[in-house]
Amino acid sequence: MSSKTDEQKCLEKVITEIKHHRGKSREILKKFANLEFFRSDDECPDFVKICPSNHHEDREILLGIEHFQVDHFSVEQKSGKVGATVNKFLKEESERRSIFNREMEQSGSVTNGAIEVFSKSVAQNLQNQLNADYNMYVRSFRYSLEKHLMQIDKYIDNLNHLSAGRYDIELAFLIDVYSNFSRLFLTSNNKTKLSNSDFIPLFDEVVSMLESIENRKVQYIVLCFNNPLHSRVKVVALHTNRIRKELSNQHIPVYQYLGEGRILKDMQITPSFTRDHDTVYMEMTASGLEMDEDQWIDQIMPSFLKALELQREGKPYATTQLVQVMIELFGDYYIKFEDLRDKRIESLWRYVMTVDWDRINERFLSFERKWFPEEQVGNTNEPVGIVAP
């Protein structure tokens, strides 16, 4: 559960972003910057603003803003509920930063204590990336949204009570999204790019959830996308009665997610380090369970086939690295041959056994050089490539 401090920080982030918006998006965000309505009880909804009327002859508007978080790094609790972890991580990260700075100030050099907290920070960031599962992200979004949808009538009743007939009433959801979708391949307008850590795409499942909100009760949705690894944010403001149209007007694609779930299950990252005078050697040890190979195939192949379908239709989609490798290695083979268009996975694999594997291997090496050139720097050996099954 987020604190009042978290709510206020999120609101301030949104207000800071107003200058970067235009049109209807800017109009919505400017409402968030209006004066706070005085009330003795400051909860439910979290903020209440006095806004100018939408038309000159109308009354002023009492805007209720309800804030909640969506945590991509959530974990499933024994009770089956979704347990958020990002606030705990941010608190611990702040404490580690304080210890690191104190160690540096007191000694004037990099102490073992400073290195230790730094290595713990790196390990926890890696752990977060491993825990950042798409299915959990969607589940966390649904869990948080549904919990607040159940309270809508209460928010509206409270706003009407505060208004006492003097104002028109409007309600907005301020959704604070913490996530990391780095290394996701995003395809739209026949172009593919590799996502980075500061970009969080909008997915079709999430947009469909937002469209389920009754627009006569909740008029606005403001999404504040954050990555806990840095302070950059992305804000998206929408009217609930025309979500996809406004996303299109703002040139924000809605991607269908096509990829496997969490590959590494119960993975734990343990940091350690050694030092030789001024040289520090840091090591991250991973232990846990990997997904069964059959499970990989069961998830990857349907995503691969769906990606080819969306590719032909010119619709946006997002793929994980494993699915993108399949597209770039075998996509044209699958499309080319009529006998494979029945979309039976067994047919594809029968054909894969007969392809030119020297050519496929070269495609794989090209894939690595194209998308991950930084991983080739300093490597005097050629990439390993793949071998025929």
Side-chain angles (χ1 to χ4, degrees):
M1 182 180 293
S2 58
S3 67
K4 197 66 184 176
T5 302
D6 297 326
E7 295 162 1
Q8 187 63 44
K9 284 181 179 178
C10 184
L11 182 64
E12 289 169 0
K13 288 178 188 177
V14 166
I15 293 172
T16 301
E17 290 294 304
I18 292 175
K19 60 182 178 289
H20 301 302
H21 289 252
R22 297 289 181 270
K24 295 184 182 300
S25 177
R26 184 181 177 90
E27 288 177 11
I28 296 170
L29 297 180
K30 284 179 69 176
K31 289 176 177 283
F32 282 50
N34 281 299
L35 290 175
E36 186 77 8
F37 180 88
F38 175 78
R39 50 184 174 151
S40 56
D41 179 7
D42 61 354
E43 295 295 330
C44 197
D46 297 307
F47 304 98
V48 179
K49 300 281 185 172
I50 303 175
C51 304
S53 63
N54 292 326
H55 304 286
H56 293 299
E57 66 274 11
D58 293 342
R59 295 178 296 181
E60 291 182 305
I61 295 166
L62 210 58
L63 173 68
I65 304 171
E66 180 63 18
H67 166 276
F68 61 90
Q69 283 186 344
V70 173
D71 182 3
H72 189 180
F73 313 102
S74 296
V75 294
E76 184 174 359
Q77 299 174 335
K78 290 182 178 179
S79 63
K81 292 183 178 180
V82 174
T85 64
V86 72
N87 288 331
K88 180 174 180 288
F89 165 76
L90 292 173
K91 180 181 178 182
E92 291 175 347
E93 188 71 357
S94 177
E95 292 171 352
R96 284 191 288 263
R97 194 177 297 112
S98 297
I99 294 171
F100 181 87
N101 292 336
R102 186 166 61 248
E103 289 278 336
M104 295 290 289
E105 290 171 1
Q106 291 177 353
S107 66
S109 62
V110 181
T111 65
N112 284 349
I115 297 171
E116 182 179 5
V117 294
F118 179 76
S119 64
K120 287 181 179 178
S121 180
V122 172
Q124 189 57 60
N125 283 326
L126 290 172
Q127 188 73 59
N128 282 349
Q129 291 184 42
L130 287 174
N131 290 342
D133 172 51
Y134 171 78
N135 294 326
M136 180 54 75
Y137 173 69
V138 172
R139 186 174 172 189
S140 175
F141 211 113
R142 181 175 291 110
Y143 176 81
S144 297
L145 178 60
E146 289 180 351
K147 187 167 67 171
H148 286 80
L149 288 175
M150 293 172 62
Q151 300 294 318
I152 284 180
D153 289 340
K154 183 178 180 181
Y155 304 144
I156 294 173
D157 286 346
N158 287 349
L159 287 171
N160 280 320
H161 176 74
L162 293 172
S163 169
R166 294 170 295 170
Y167 302 93
D168 288 332
I169 301 300
E170 291 184 343
L171 183 61
F173 277 163
L174 174 56
I175 308 178
D176 203 2
V177 183
Y178 281 90
S179 186
N180 184 350
F181 279 102
S182 57
R183 290 207 166 189
L184 199 63
F185 293 82
L186 305 173
T187 299
S188 64
N189 297 321
N190 297 317
K191 295 181 180 178
T192 302
K193 64 180 180 180
L194 184 60
S195 179
N196 52 40
S197 60
D198 63 357
F199 182 83
I200 301 173
L202 265 171
F203 298 108
D204 187 71
E205 282 188 85
V206 169
V207 173
S208 293
M209 274 189 256
L210 299 179
E211 287 179 314
S212 71
I213 299 172
E214 288 187 71
N215 59 64
R216 65 183 184 86
K217 293 186 175 182
V218 181
Q219 284 71 44
Y220 311 109
I221 296 169
V222 174
L223 299 156
C224 183
F225 292 107
N226 307 266
N227 186 314
L229 303 183
H230 51 69
S231 59
R232 294 181 64 182
V233 300
K234 175 184 177 181
V235 172
V236 177
L238 305 164
H239 289 84
T240 50
N241 64 343
R242 47 180 181 265
I243 290 175
R244 289 187 192 260
K245 181 175 177 55
E246 291 193 5
L247 287 172
S248 177
N249 291 341
Q250 294 177 42
H251 307 289
I252 300 174
V254 178
Y255 297 93
Q256 286 199 45
Y257 178 88
L258 302 173
E260 70 283 358
R262 189 179 301 172
I263 296 175
L264 304 174
K265 294 186 176 181
D266 303 319
M267 184 64 66
Q268 295 296 320
I269 304 295
T270 304
S272 61
F273 71 91
T274 57
R275 66 185 304 172
D276 181 8
H277 301 291
D278 292 336
T279 304
V280 176
Y281 301 93
M282 195 173 297
E283 184 175 288
M284 299 290 153
T285 304
S287 61
L289 301 175
E290 294 188 8
M291 182 186 291
D292 182 85
E293 286 188 13
D294 290 337
Q295 289 180 300
W296 282 11
I297 299 301
D298 287 345
Q299 292 189 42
I300 292 169
M301 291 307 300
S303 293
F304 165 69
L305 299 174
K306 183 65 176 178
L308 296 182
E309 179 184 325
L310 295 176
Q311 190 179 89
R312 289 192 295 270
E313 295 173 355
K315 296 179 179 178
Y317 60 89
T319 54
T320 54
Q321 185 172 335
L322 287 173
V323 176
Q324 190 65 27
V325 166
M326 289 293 297
I327 292 170
E328 298 196 18
L329 265 58
F330 303 114
D332 60 339
Y333 285 103
Y334 191 82
I335 294 170
K336 181 178 178 182
F337 289 86
E338 290 286 345
D339 61 326
L340 299 180
R341 289 185 181 173
D342 58 5
K343 295 188 179 181
R344 290 178 58 195
I345 293 173
E346 296 83 357
S347 298
L348 174 61
W349 285 119
R350 282 199 300 272
Y351 183 72
V352 164
M353 298 304 174
T354 70
V355 302
D356 182 349
W357 277 90
D358 288 337
R359 185 179 178 188
I360 293 298
N361 192 61
E362 179 54 39
R363 287 186 179 189
F364 182 80
L365 299 181
S366 296
F367 177 89
E368 288 187 323
R369 288 190 290 262
K370 174 184 177 182
W371 294 111
F372 307 111
E374 72 284 356
E375 296 180 7
Q376 309 300 319
V377 175
N379 182 6
T380 58
N381 299 316
E382 279 295 306
V384 175
I386 56 176
V387 295

